[in-house]
Amino acid sequence: MINGERLLQHLEDLSQIGRNEATGGVNRFSFTSEEKQAIELVMTYMEEAGMVVTIDAIGNLIGTYGEGNETIMLGSHIDTVPEGGKYDGALGVLAAIEVVHTMHAQQLIPSKKIQVVAFKDEEGTRFDFGLVGSRAMAGLLTEGQLQFTDKNGISIEEAMKAFQLSPYPFEQPPRDDIKAYLEMHIEQGKVLENEGLPVGVVTGIAAPVWLEITVTGVSEHAGATPMPIRQDALTAASEMILAIEQLLNNTTGSVATVGKLTVSPNGTNVIPGKVTFTIDLRDIDESKINVLEATILQQLQQIATRRNVMLSSKVLQRVKPAKTDAVLQQQLATSIEKQGIQPYFLVSGAGHDAMNIAEIAPIAMLFVRSKDGISHNPLEYSSAEDIVIATAIFYDTVVELSK
Ligand code: HGY
Ligand code: MN
Ligand code: MN
Ligand code: MN
């Protein structure tokens, strides 16, 4: 019923925007010309699907189909991590559009309006602060957070202006009309592949806390400074990073990643005086994250004291883990069974806009198998067959919910 060819072509076309020919990676960051191009392309897909297109105060792209005070919302994101893949986020937005396009072609009029949303800045690549659009929609975004800046010192608020978006007065009261939010997304892990299944139903979403750690020592001459008296910020940071890995290796279910690190003054013959690195710490259980965060900071402080360097930390972002709605999970499972596939339930290690929307509506997620579990990488891949069958399942669930 759904037009798999059209969906796969849309995925291909969207993946060309922000594509790095040398690596095959996709680079589409919020409030950039690449993102603007992508928004314009997705807008045409929404209009072709019979939707009325709007952009809300923070810049979420919203296609609306049908009428009514109550809303069934489908969505994901079209921004990417650096050198990202072509499915993360994009598949969820384009598959949702395909669902509506098919309903429109079948002249199915839903009992509630259906909205498809491409949420603004889910990945947080440019400002080290993510899920901006879904935070705003859930009434969680603060004016202070709009002052977060990118590496060129441009704030989210200033970047919005370049998109003719004036965030103030920040008219973004939390939406209260959403009766169900459903997100289709690649799994980005290996579970479905190991189970030999094309799709899975998400039971809960682990959430990240992002910390920025700064280690301050003393920049000194690499030749004239004896080893025992150095206050080397980089060797201290290195010991800290390995201590974090050691701690998390001994903690089941939680994960931590140091993904960014800067060294200054970054000279071959200069002992590093200052190092900044990020920590992405996740678990499905918020209390475990809090305990781990405190333990990590305590251990880093012990290392800093022993090495006679200074330590400071700040929280870049904190998101609450989310549980999906049991009724919506069951609806997805029924649609999966109609395809003769055994429903499989799993936790999402990756974060999603659904976490924020869970604050204002029941949520559900349908996962699509990831080849080798690779994601946030140009090699990210889901097969055409899996994408088409997942979208057919998604279509069936949305039609059932729209009755
Ligand atoms: O970081 C995440 O989990 C998501 O890809 N933004
Ligand atoms: Mn991602
Ligand atoms: Mn994503
Ligand atoms: Mn997402």
Side-chain angles (χ1 to χ4, degrees), residues 75-77 88-89 122-123 131 181 183 185 351-354 365:
S76 199
H77 58 95
D88 177 359
E122 193 269 354
E123 294 290 6
L131 304 159
Y181 171 76
E183 182 165 356
H185 203 288
H352 302 285
D353 292 303
M365 287 195 75

Side-chain angles (χ1 to χ4, degrees), residues 77 79-81 88-89 122-123 185 188 350-352 375-376 380:
H77 58 95
D79 66 301
T80 71
V81 292
D88 177 359
E122 193 269 354
E123 294 290 6
H185 203 288
Q188 303 176 297
H352 302 285
S375 181
H376 283 189
E380 188 178 275

Side-chain angles (χ1 to χ4, degrees), residues 110-132:
S111 60
K112 305 175 183 68
K113 70 174 178 290
I114 296 179
Q115 287 192 316
V116 175
V117 184
F119 284 108
K120 181 60 76 179
D121 203 348
E122 193 269 354
E123 294 290 6
T125 301
R126 180 171 169 188
F127 299 97
D128 268 336
F129 176 73
L131 304 159
V132 174

